[in-house]
Amino acid sequence: SEDMEPVNMESMGHPEIYPLVLTTKTQEIFNCRIDEDVTDEQPYKLINKEDIFEDLRNRAAVSDFHPVKKIVQEYPGNELLLVYDKDFKYGLNFYLIGTEEGKENYLNPPEVPEEQEEYKEHIPEDVYIYKPPVSKPWVSLGSEKEIEEESVTESTKQITYMISRKRSEFGAPIKFSDQNASSVKDAYIECTAYPDKNFTLKQLEKDVGMQVIPQIKDISTQTKWTYPKNATTQYYPREFSEEEKETLKQSKPLVDFLNNASISVEIALQQNEIMNTFIDDWKYLAEEEGTFGDKTDTYLKEYQSFTDLHSPTEKMITCVSWHPTIYGLIAVSVAVRLSFEDRVHFSGKLLLQPSLILFWSFSDPIHPQLMLESPDDIFCFKFCPSDPNIIAGGCINGQIVMWDITAHADRIENIKAGGSRSKRATLKPMFLLEPESNKEAMYIRHCAVSSIENGHKKVITDIHWLSDTFEINRMGSVFENRSGICCQLVTCSADCTICFWDIRPQKPLTPQTTEKKKEESIEIPFDVPSTFLHLDLSWKPLTKVRLSKGETSLDHCPTKISLNEDHLLCKTQDKMLAQSKTEKAEEMNPYHNLESGMANLLKPIDDFCTKFFVGTEEGEVIYTDWKMEKDPETGRLMSKKPVSHHTIHDGTVHTIQRSPFYNDIILTVGGWNVAIWKEGVMTGPLLHSCCAPKRYTSGHWSLTRPGVFYIGREDGYIDIWDLLEKTHEPAQSQNICITMITYIKPWIFSSKQQFIATADYYGTLHILEIPWTLSRPSTNEMASVNHYFEREVKHLEYVEQRKKIREQEKKEMELEMAKKKVKTYQKSKEQMQAELKMDYESYLELEKTVLINLGLIKVTEKGSYMEVM
Amino acid sequence: MTDVEETLKRIQSHKGVIGTMVVNAEGIPIRTTLDNSTTVQYAGLLHHLTMKAKSTVRDIDPQNDLTFLRIRSKKHEIMVAPDKEYLLIVIQNPCE
C-alpha cells in the first residue's frame, strides 16, 4: 500500500494530471492557502521539488504528496505545478501536473482552445505558417505529348529566296495597260464565296410572343397607312321625325324623283320576273335525271339472309334492331310460332327451350355471334342509346328483361364484317389464327327482370328508352336529366297500361321489403354482371298510365307508342354534355354505378311536350298525355283523358313512327291502310290511303328520303311508297319472301351503303341493299315533301270549313223543310179533303192503267166501266 | 292616296319584292316598308356604295353619270335608283 500507483486523470484525457488533497497544514507549509495564495486569478503555484521531498521526509505517510511521490521523484524539472481545483473538476481540491509539457501547456495554454462552449466571438485563425514549396522531381503524366502534338514546329528548313532587279531598271518609266482577266489563262485566281454547310444555322426554335385578339381586317386602297392608330366610333343613326317625313313626302322634288326612278326600277323588276339570267342551266339539268322512277335500278337487292337452323321449334321473328355502333351486327328476337291455344297446350315443352335474342353478323350467316337468354319470348327490345351494351326487352308474360353485354363487347366488336367491304374491322391476332373459334355462340343470361306482380300483366308490345336529356317523376312531370345517360324506359302492354320505368336503384319505400330481400339471398350465377342486381325481380314501374275509354270498363289496348323527340334547350344540353363527360371520365361505366335518381335537386323543364301518340289493337290512333293529374273528387292520381282519338285503321296498329326528318309527322300503319298524321292537327290524318288488297303488317320511314316509306305485307311483298310520285298507291312493290313480313328496319352504314332488314314469319331475316335511287334524296325533296304536307294541312282545314258550311246549309234546309211542313199544316180541312179526293182519283186511274197493262182488265171493258162511273 | 304612296305601293306589289325604301341625299331614310334597324343599315351602306359607284363612273368619264345600280346576291337583288337628292332602294327575291 505504500507503493500504490498514483491515480492520474488519464481517463479524462489528461494523463499528466494527478489530483491531490491538500490539507490546510500542507497549504500553510507550501504557501498555497486557498483564497490567499491561490486565488481565482492565479490558481496555480510552482512548488520546488526539494520542498516536496523535505515535506515527504518530514511527514512521510501523512504528507499529502505521498500518493504522488513517484511522480515527483521522476519529474525531470525542478519545479512542479500545483493547481487549485476550485470546482473539483478532477475530484479533489488540488491537482499536480506531472510532466514538463503539461506544465508548459498549463502555463502557456495554446491559442486554440477546443473546448470552448457556446459562442465564439472571435474565431481565432490558424496561424498559417508559410512553407515554401519544396521542389520535387518532375513526374510525367503524359501532358508533354499533347503539347508536342499541338505545338507548331518547323518540319523542314525554310527556303529563302531573294529577288532583285537589275539596278539599271530602277526608275524607268512605267507603262500600264488593260487586260481582260479572263482572256489570259492563269492571270488570276478566284476565291469565290460559297455557302458552307458547316456555317448555315437552321433556326429550330423561335421565341415569339402571342396574344389573342378579335378578328381584325385591314383595308387600304392606293395609300400607305403609315401611322396605324386604333379608333372606334359609336353612333346612332340620324333619323327624321314624323313631321319632317310628312313635309318631305309632299315636296315636289320627291314626287318628281319617284316618278322618274320608278320607271327604271319597274323595268328592272320585270326583267327579273321574266327570267332569271343567272341560273346555270347545266347544273339544273344534271340534277333532274335521277329523281323520279328510273326503273333500271330501283329494286332492293338481296344481300344476305339469316336463319337459325338449330332451333327445334318453328320460330318467327318479332323484333329486329341493328347494333347502333358496330357495322354488320344485327339483333333479332325470336318467338315460337304458335297461336295462343297451342302455346297453352305446349307450355310444358316450351318451358324447356330458351327464348333468345340472336346477334347475327354479316361475316357468319350460320352461327349467331351472341345469344341472349330470356325467361320467355321477347316481343320487342331496344338497345340503350347511351350504351349499346345495355339491352332492354319486353316479354310475352309482361316482364321487362335487361341484359348487360359489356363483358362480351370486345368479342362482337372484333368480328370481321363481310368480305373486305368494311374499313372499320380490326382483328385481334388470336382471331386471325382461329377464325372458326367463333362457332360456339355464347349464351348470355339476363341481368334483371322486372317484378311480376307490379309490372304488366300481359304481353309487352312496345318498349322505348327515354332520351337522356330529361327524366320524369311519379307525377309525370319532366325534369332535367343530370346523369347524361338514358335511365328511363317506357313500355306499353296489352293490359291497357303504359308504364314508365327507371333503371336506377330506388329508395326503399318500406323497411320491410329490405328485410325480405336479405332473407331470400338468391344465388346469382357468376358470369352474370351485377349491373342491375338492384332491380332483379323487384323492379316496379315509376308510373302507370291507364288508357281508359271513359265510363266503360273496356280500355284501349296499346300496341305501339311514339314519343315526342323534341330535344329542347340546347344550352342545358351542352351543359349536361360537359357534365356527363367529366363524370364519365371519372367512372368507368355510368351504368355500373347508378345512383339513386330521385334527387329533388333536378330542375324541372317547363313547356315540355308530354303528349305522345298511341296506336291500339282496335285500330285507333290516340294522342294523349302522360302527365298525371289529381282527380278532384277522389284525390288520386289519374291519367288525363286523351287529347284526340281517331279510328282509322281496320286492324291492329302495328307501326307508329315519327319521320326522321320532320318532328311532327307520324306514320301509322295498321289493318289494310296507312295514315300520315301531323302533330297538332287534330281533325284527322293528312294522308289516309285506301284499302290495299293485302294486309299491311309492318312499316318504316326511309332514313334518307323524306317522302319515302316502306311497308311490309302479309304475302311477303314490300311496298315502297314515294309521296312525291304517287300518294294513292305504292310507287313500287317487290317480293321478298313467301310469308308475312313481321318487321322492317332500314339502316345507314355509309352514304353509299344502306340496308334494310326484313324479318318474316318463318324466322328468316333478309338483309337487302337499298339502291341509289331510293337512298339518295333529290334536290329540294325535303322542301317538296314539306310543301306537300302543308298542302294537305290546308286541305284538311278546307274540308273542315266546308263541313261547317255544309252544316250551315243543312240547317238552313231543315229550317225550310220545317217551314214547309208548318205551311202544310195550316191548310183548311176542305182543302185537305179536296186534295185527298184528287189523290184518290189519281190513284184509281193509276190502278186501272196498271191492271190494263197487266192484262187483267180488257180495254173494251173500259168504256162500260166509265159509263158506270 | 298621294302619288308617292301610290308609286311605292305599286312597286311593293311586284312579285318577289321584299322591301322598298326612299332615302335622302345624306342617307337618312324617309319612307320604308322594312323595320327601322334594317332600313337604317341598308340606307347607310347603300348610300356609301352609290356615292362610290357614282364617283367611279364620273372619274372614268366626267360626262357620264350613274343611272341605276343593281347588286345581285345569292339570296336577292338590290336595286338602287340614284338621284341628285334622293335614293330609291328596292330589294327583290328574283327566284321563285
Side-chain angles (χ1 to χ4, degrees), chain A residues 221 237-240 245 248-251 253-255 257-273 275-279, chain B residues 2-5 7-8 10-11 14-15 17 22 24 26 28-31 36 40 68 70 72 77 79 81 83 85-88 90 92 94-95:
Chain A
T221 30
R238 273 195 307 173
E239 286 172 354
F240 283 136
K245 283 190 193 169
L248 276 172
K249 250 202 293 186
Q250 311 300 329
S251 64
L254 184 66
V255 178
F257 155 70
L258 267 180
N259 287 334
N260 293 334
S262 59
I263 298 167
S264 39
V265 164
E266 288 192 331
I267 292 173
L269 286 170
Q270 278 162 6
Q271 275 178 356
N272 278 339
E273 282 160 28
M275 194 179 110
N276 186 357
T277 50
F278 291 99
I279 56 163
Chain B
T2 61
D3 284 334
V4 168
E5 302 271 345
T7 320
L8 287 176
R10 203 175 64 235
I11 293 175
H14 271 264
K15 182 173 155 221
V17 170
V22 180
N24 86 336
E26 290 165 343
I28 307 173
I30 298 173
R31 279 272 292 140
N36 201 24
V40 155
F68 206 77
R70 273 164 93 163
R72 184 64 174 244
E77 177 157 338
M79 289 166 234
D83 184 70
E85 295 157 31
Y86 302 99
L87 223 60
L88 173 64
V90 180
Q92 186 196 28
C95 314

Side-chain angles (χ1 to χ4, degrees), chain A residues 83-282:
Chain A
V83 184
Y84 167 53
D85 194 0
K86 181 173 176 206
D87 299 318
F88 286 84
K89 198 160 147 197
Y90 298 108
L92 300 170
N93 59 352
F94 278 87
Y95 60 86
L96 190 75
I97 295 192
T99 58
E100 275 285 334
E101 218 178 293
K103 184 167 105 183
E104 282 293 327
N105 278 348
Y106 186 83
L107 288 173
N108 309 310
E111 293 297 320
V112 187
E114 277 128 28
E115 290 129 296
Q116 287 281 356
E117 294 102 44
E118 283 111 358
Y119 63 98
K120 295 180 191 164
E121 293 168 4
H122 157 71
I123 301 172
E125 311 111 332
D126 258 328
V127 177
Y128 185 65
I129 305 163
Y130 174 66
K131 292 199 195 103
V134 179
S135 59
K136 294 183 212 144
W138 161 255
V139 175
S140 162
L141 291 167
S143 54
E144 70 263 22
K145 284 200 205 107
E146 284 174 36
I147 294 171
E148 263 178 44
E149 279 167 29
E150 295 291 320
S151 61
V152 177
T153 50
E154 291 176 4
S155 49
T156 54
K157 189 159 176 278
Q158 282 180 338
I159 306 169
T160 51
Y161 287 103
M162 198 181 88
I163 305 168
S164 58
R165 275 169 76 187
K166 274 205 289 204
R167 183 81 179 85
S168 58
E169 285 173 14
F170 280 18
I174 302 176
K175 201 163 141 202
F176 286 115
S177 63
D178 283 331
Q179 194 180 27
N180 196 350
S182 50
S183 58
V184 179
K185 215 174 70 166
D186 294 341
Y188 71 103
I189 296 174
E190 219 178 11
C191 292
T192 46
Y194 63 97
D196 191 352
K197 285 215 177 71
N198 298 330
F199 297 101
T200 49
L201 291 172
K202 188 170 159 194
Q203 190 171 28
L204 293 172
E205 272 181 11
K206 193 165 163 183
D207 232 342
V208 168
M210 305 251 288
Q211 188 190 4
V212 171
I213 51 165
Q215 276 184 323
I216 53 170
K217 241 183 345 188
D218 289 331
I219 311 173
S220 59
T221 30
Q222 299 177 11
T223 178
K224 228 183 355 177
W225 189 20
T226 36
Y227 296 116
K229 213 163 52 162
N230 282 339
T232 54
T233 342
Q234 190 173 342
Y235 68 96
Y236 57 89
R238 273 195 307 173
E239 286 172 354
F240 283 136
S241 62
E242 288 300 319
E243 301 90 38
E244 286 172 329
K245 283 190 193 169
E246 283 300 318
T247 43
L248 276 172
K249 250 202 293 186
Q250 311 300 329
S251 64
K252 188 152 188 320
L254 184 66
V255 178
D256 289 339
F257 155 70
L258 267 180
N259 287 334
N260 293 334
S262 59
I263 298 167
S264 39
V265 164
E266 288 192 331
I267 292 173
L269 286 170
Q270 278 162 6
Q271 275 178 356
N272 278 339
E273 282 160 28
I274 294 168
M275 194 179 110
N276 186 357
T277 50
F278 291 99
I279 56 163
D280 187 354
D281 289 323
W282 290 112

Side-chain angles (χ1 to χ4, degrees), chain A residues 579-592:
Chain A
Q579 265 184 13
S580 67
K581 270 185 190 153
T582 52
E583 276 175 33
K584 276 182 181 161
E586 296 159 8
E587 312 160 356
M588 283 296 291
N589 184 340
Y591 281 100
H592 293 212

